[in-house]
Amino acid sequence: MIKIQNLSKSFGDKAILKNFSYDFKKTGVVCIKGASGCGKTTLLRIISGLEKADSGNILINGKLSYMFQEDRLLSFLTAIENVTCVMDGKASEKKEKAEKLLSAVGLSGDINTPVTELSGGMKRRVAFARALAFEPDILLLDEPFNGLDPETRQLILKIVSDISKERLVILVTHDNKDIKALSGEVLSLS
């Protein structure tokens, strides 16, 4: 659950968020949409603690995981190593769980491939698997479907829909088809 009250954020003279308030539920999907520069990514960065609001309050109850617009993978590691690096537990347990996550996103044959050798869409799926591996209560996804072919996009949409039954997923997207497919709440920023 996240409760935001009167949040404001400016960059120089430009107000990005002004007295923004919103109560996010404990589970489900909230799709954030709006024109470029309206504050979608800024809102995720403030929620995650990576950006400080100028004013307002945020109450967060739960563990957060953030999938950025950029993949932000560790280029010197393989796909599976990028996923296990955010996990706790014994090495064998982490490996088994990471293999399942990578298989779920269609990368079972590429788990030991260095991420530098993966296509853009494959890297995106590794980043998504890594965000899930952190076992969050709240999953922040910034343009998670960019670079995915239609078939893979449907696969990831289904995973997002399924996990939203047990946790809160807040995602930024420009694609109305994705919003419709997820049939969650829509939060329009202007």
Side-chain angles (χ1 to χ4, degrees):
M1 180 211 57
I2 301 174
K3 185 177 183 107
I4 299 175
Q5 297 174 315
N6 302 317
L7 191 75
S8 293
K9 177 66 180 177
S10 296
F11 292 102
D13 293 337
K14 182 171 171 128
I16 302 297
L17 298 167
K18 189 174 179 183
N19 293 319
F20 175 79
S21 296
Y22 197 83
D23 289 346
F24 293 89
K25 297 175 185 172
K26 189 174 180 179
T27 62
V29 176
V30 178
C31 298
I32 302 174
K33 70 178 207 169
S36 293
C38 73
K40 301 179 300 291
T41 296
T42 299
L43 179 60
L44 292 188
R45 289 180 56 81
I46 292 170
I47 290 170
S48 70
L50 294 173
E51 191 79 47
K52 188 170 174 16
D54 297 334
S55 62
N57 297 306
I58 300 179
L59 173 67
I60 299 173
N61 184 9
K63 181 178 169 185
L64 290 169
S65 184
Y66 191 166
M67 180 183 171
F68 298 91
Q69 279 183 13
E70 314 82 26
D71 301 319
R72 298 194 183 189
L73 300 175
L74 300 172
S75 62
F76 53 90
L77 297 178
T78 64
I80 196 165
E81 290 168 338
N82 265 280
V83 175
T84 58
C85 73
V86 300
M87 300 166 75
D88 291 325
K90 295 180 182 178
S92 60
E93 293 169 353
K94 293 190 318 185
K95 183 176 184 275
E96 182 180 339
K97 183 177 173 188
E99 285 175 352
K100 286 180 183 175
L101 287 168
L102 289 166
S103 179
V105 298
L107 293 174
S108 58
D110 296 290
I111 62 172
N112 293 312
T113 303
V115 293
T116 54
E117 296 177 19
L118 299 176
S119 70
M122 294 167 90
K123 289 177 184 176
R124 204 74 190 125
R125 289 183 275 163
V126 173
F128 180 70
R130 182 178 60 191
L132 294 178
F134 195 61
E135 296 184 340
D137 302 303
I138 302 163
L139 184 60
L140 307 175
L141 304 173
D142 199 349
E143 299 286 355
F145 312 115
N146 281 355
L148 300 180
D149 62 74
E151 185 178 313
T152 304
R153 185 182 210 104
Q154 290 305 310
L155 172 68
I156 303 302
L157 280 164
K158 169 125 179 46
I159 293 170
V160 169
S161 182
D162 289 346
I163 63 173
S164 72
K165 294 171 186 161
E166 299 173 0
R167 64 194 68 170
L168 174 61
V169 179
I170 303 171
L171 69 90
V172 169
T173 184
H174 289 96
D175 194 316
N176 287 324
K177 291 178 191 171
D178 294 338
I179 293 170
K180 186 175 180 182
L182 291 167
S183 62
E185 291 182 45
V186 177
L187 173 57
S188 294
L189 298 181
S190 54

